[in-house]
Amino acid sequence: GRPLPTLDPPVDPLLAVTIAEALGTSFLLAQGGDNNATALGPGGCWDDVENPQNYTLRGPPSPVPDPLAIGAMDGVVLGARLARGPLPVADLLRGYYGTGNGSEAGRPPSSYRRRDFGALAGRGRLEKEVAAVLGLLRTLSPTPKLLRDVGTQEVAAVAHRAAREFSERYVECPTIVPRCLWGARPYRGTPALLRPPLGSVFLHHSLEPAQPCRTFGACARAMRDMQRFHQDTRGWDDIGYSFVVGSDGYLYEGRGWHWVGAHTKGYNTQGFGVGIVGDFTATLPDPDTLALVRDELLPCAVRSGHVRPDFTLRGHRQLGHTDCPGNALFQEIQSWPGFQ
């Protein structure tokens, strides 16, 4: 057939086959559907934390559910790595996902997917690539039905919205591992609703486990141990923290954004309790873990409307008779935005 047209900007083939086409068509479909149509999400759950076999989405699927978005980001990161030089795919995947390395010395490279994807395809570039690939699809004969009556301005608007929403959801905010994925027990009783935006964030350390967790398996076990302690020994309805931070690069959902926690006595309705796995009396979490809370979680909580822009950050010891979050960590957070 006739040669494909030259576009400005030209379509990046790696981004086209991983994310740009799926993202553009997803937002076109959502735009043409009912008012409740969504283009991104949801996430899902495995049937068994220790021996997963089946994955079930937690809501009505969109054209780009979370697993597809995660796979697309990995495709961009790994594709860029392969473009620099040949490497056996098995070695590439083993190194990236950290399987079989037998070490908890550092985070697997895959835990940096959001940062690395953002560096390769920031919001501005992603918008250009979505517009370019939709422009290319419009020139095909026969024109896809989805694009038959779509003009250049509409393509630009779809690309802008798609890049913005994808970046906000998957690049600019940290990954939160849902309760079902770390093997949470059910909540006991009836949870009480929070009324966001809240004005405070309270920082804690777990003390026990005393060692930071550096793999998903270790962090999931730490979550289950803390939940058992809080429910069975303390007699609480659930794990007390709103969120827990592992040194594997992920946040773990405790009570989450919507339910009153049991983290800071007398103040649980006023703010979110964020715990970091480990004892930080004498040593600090690694710099990447600190950055995950300071530079990703806190700004994302403000942007998403869960926390007020003028929020106050405090260590647990400021509001109760405790050494939490440890001397070293408490000293560190005094230089963070919002600390009082």
Side-chain angles (χ1 to χ4, degrees):
R2 60 190 176 89
L4 293 174
T6 301
L7 296 174
D8 184 23
V11 175
D12 182 302
L14 176 59
L15 289 171
V17 299
T18 52
I19 188 59
E21 181 183 0
L23 200 53
T25 54
S26 173
F27 275 79
L28 276 175
L29 284 167
Q31 186 170 277
D34 58 46
N35 292 333
N36 295 321
T38 181
L40 300 172
C45 298
W46 290 100
D47 53 346
D48 187 307
V49 175
E50 299 294 339
N51 183 32
Q53 301 293 319
N54 298 296
Y55 184 88
T56 304
L57 293 175
R58 294 189 294 165
S62 74
V64 183
D66 285 1
L68 193 151
I70 292 166
M73 289 190 287
D74 286 349
V76 171
V77 173
L78 294 172
R81 170 65 186 85
L82 281 173
R84 295 198 297 268
L87 184 69
V89 172
D91 292 346
L92 180 72
L93 297 178
R94 197 175 293 117
Y96 182 70
Y97 293 109
T99 56
N101 62 12
S103 168
E104 291 194 5
R107 288 164 51 174
S110 56
S111 70
Y112 295 101
R113 69 167 54 87
R114 295 188 178 212
R115 180 200 68 184
D116 293 346
F117 176 86
L120 290 166
R123 187 189 294 197
R125 184 179 179 201
L126 190 58
E127 180 178 338
K128 291 178 181 177
E129 292 296 338
V130 171
V133 80
L134 289 179
L136 175 61
L137 291 174
R138 287 171 63 210
T139 68
L140 297 180
S141 183
T143 304
K145 183 179 179 182
L146 188 63
L147 284 152
R148 199 164 292 156
D149 300 316
V150 177
T152 303
Q153 286 188 329
E154 191 174 353
V155 163
V158 166
H160 178 76
R161 180 174 163 232
R164 185 190 75 240
E165 293 190 19
F166 186 90
S167 296
E168 288 175 352
R169 181 179 179 119
Y170 296 112
V171 181
E172 297 167 11
C173 286
T175 305
I176 298 176
V177 176
R179 293 168 60 89
C180 60
L181 284 185
W182 58 262
R185 291 173 171 181
Y187 189 98
R188 293 175 180 170
T190 303
L193 271 172
L194 288 168
R195 299 182 180 277
L198 303 185
S200 296
V201 176
F202 308 118
L203 204 63
H204 303 251
H205 69 167
S206 68
L207 194 61
E208 290 290 339
Q211 294 301 314
C213 58
R214 301 190 187 280
T215 66
F216 167 76
C219 292
R221 285 191 297 273
M223 292 295 293
R224 294 193 294 272
D225 289 345
M226 285 187 283
Q227 187 186 39
R228 274 194 297 271
F229 175 69
H230 288 176
Q231 287 185 322
D232 298 346
T233 303
R234 292 281 176 86
W236 299 344
D237 292 334
D238 197 3
I239 189 171
Y241 305 114
S242 307
F243 299 98
V244 176
V245 186
S247 293
D248 61 340
Y250 300 108
L251 291 169
Y252 289 78
E253 181 186 26
R255 304 275 182 121
W257 294 121
H258 304 296
W259 308 113
V260 176
H263 44 78
T264 312
K265 189 174 182 180
Y267 298 88
N268 291 314
T269 60
Q270 299 177 31
F272 297 101
V274 178
I276 304 179
V277 176
D279 177 355
F280 302 112
T281 302
T283 60
L284 281 173
D286 62 75
D288 285 341
T289 300
L290 293 172
L292 181 68
V293 181
R294 181 188 61 230
D295 303 334
E296 297 181 48
L297 172 61
L298 295 179
C300 179
V302 172
R303 283 195 305 271
S304 57
H306 298 296
V307 172
R308 292 205 303 262
D310 61 346
F311 75 93
T312 297
L313 174 70
R314 291 189 176 95
H316 186 193
R317 63 173 60 185
Q318 294 174 270
L319 302 163
H321 300 293
T322 175
D323 292 329
C324 181
N327 292 336
L329 183 55
F330 184 65
Q331 184 71 31
E332 161 68 24
I333 66 171
Q334 291 179 43
S335 64
W336 289 14
F339 179 83
Q340 285 190 11

